[in-house]
Structure formats: C-alpha cells, structure tokens
Amino acid sequence: MLRWMIALGVAVLALVPSTALAGTTRSETTLLQQMNRVRAQHGLHRLRFDAHLERAARSHSREMLAENVFRHGAFGSRMVRFDVRGTLAGENLAWGTGSQGTAAGIVAAWLASPEHRANLLRPSFTRVGIGDLVGSFLGNQGAHVVTADFAG
C-alpha cells in the first residue's frame, strides 16, 4: 500500500532578497520544473532556486528522515539560521513512495490542498529551495521526503 502525507506551514518574516543556486539534484530540478509548469498555467512568474532556501530545505528533509518524523518544526528559526531573506516565506512538505513520490504526484497533491495550492501559486513568492531526499521513512522504503521553502 502506498502511503502519502502532506503538511503546510506559512510564516511571515521580515526578509531581504537572496542569490541563485547551482548543484541541485535531478529530482529537485524536476520538481521545480513541475512547479513552474503549473505556475505558468496560472499566469505566474517562474520560481528560481535560491541557495539559502535550498540549504534550509535540504537540512529539514534530512532531519525528518533521520528522526523519522513528519513536521514543520521551527520554521522561522530555520529561515533565520540559513540567512533566508525576503518579505514573506512559506513551506510545503510532502512524502510519498511510487507515483506519489514523483514530482507530478507531489505537485498534484499540493494543488488538491487549498493551503499548499496557495503557497505554490502565491504571486509574491519568487524563489524556492527544494530538499528531495530518498530513504526509509515511517516504515516505507524508497520514500521521497520533500521540503519546499518559498520566499519573496
């Protein structure tokens, strides 16, 4: 049986703009492409990778995998710790196996959830960091554990 869960957190932080990132994984790049495809369908500007958000997202996905927990944790503190800058920040989480762990499956699930959809389609979000890590999670082998941190 495939299991899948999503969660959402939105935080408003006083932040300033940041830089772009190189070195994303294939799964992170594919997820960004899927997210931007949906944003384009809604007449929105593309999200671009941000190094600070990327480090924050990967750190959080790594922590969830290591602790075998699915939660946002101290989102605001994490944004400060990774020097995320901008005027607004938010976060979508997901985990899944099989087709529910793919970029298409994750984005479809986010679109089906009003809170996640709002983050994904928020016009003021211009940057994103994605941490898509694979491992054993909550008793499921080969699970993708995803954190998407947004800022604008």
Side-chain angles (χ1 to χ4, degrees), residues 31-110:
L31 185 53
L32 178 62
Q33 290 169 343
Q34 190 77 0
M35 292 164 72
N36 279 332
R37 183 186 60 75
V38 168
R39 287 178 63 88
Q41 290 171 345
H42 288 85
L44 299 171
H45 292 288
R46 300 174 64 82
L47 296 168
R48 63 178 166 69
F49 274 120
D50 176 278
H52 297 276
L53 290 165
E54 188 77 9
R55 285 191 295 272
R58 285 183 181 161
S59 172
H60 190 60
S61 289
R62 189 175 303 111
E63 181 180 302
M64 287 191 296
L65 265 170
E67 295 178 10
N68 209 33
V69 297
F70 189 70
R71 64 175 179 242
H72 289 282
F75 175 72
S77 296
R78 189 170 359 107
M79 296 298 100
V80 170
R81 188 171 90 227
F82 286 95
D83 197 29
V84 172
R85 299 173 187 265
T87 55
L88 181 70
E91 179 171 85
N92 283 2
L93 302 179
W95 79 267
T97 59
S99 64
Q100 294 171 331
T102 66
I106 289 165
V107 171
W110 285 343

Side-chain angles (χ1 to χ4, degrees), residues 1-48:
M1 178 169 112
L2 296 177
R3 293 186 190 179
W4 173 81
M5 297 177 65
I6 56 177
L8 165 84
V10 176
V12 177
L13 303 171
L15 308 169
V16 193
S18 185
T19 60
L21 172 77
T24 59
T25 67
R26 185 177 193 167
S27 61
E28 291 163 349
T29 300
T30 302
L31 185 53
L32 178 62
Q33 290 169 343
Q34 190 77 0
M35 292 164 72
N36 279 332
R37 183 186 60 75
V38 168
R39 287 178 63 88
Q41 290 171 345
H42 288 85
L44 299 171
H45 292 288
R46 300 174 64 82
L47 296 168
R48 63 178 166 69

Side-chain angles (χ1 to χ4, degrees), residues 122-147:
R122 188 175 309 278
S124 59
F125 285 156
T126 58
R127 297 172 288 123
V128 69
I130 300 169
D132 182 350
L133 303 178
V134 179
S136 177
F137 189 67
L138 300 176
N140 297 275
Q141 299 300 314
H144 284 257
V145 177
V146 177
T147 301

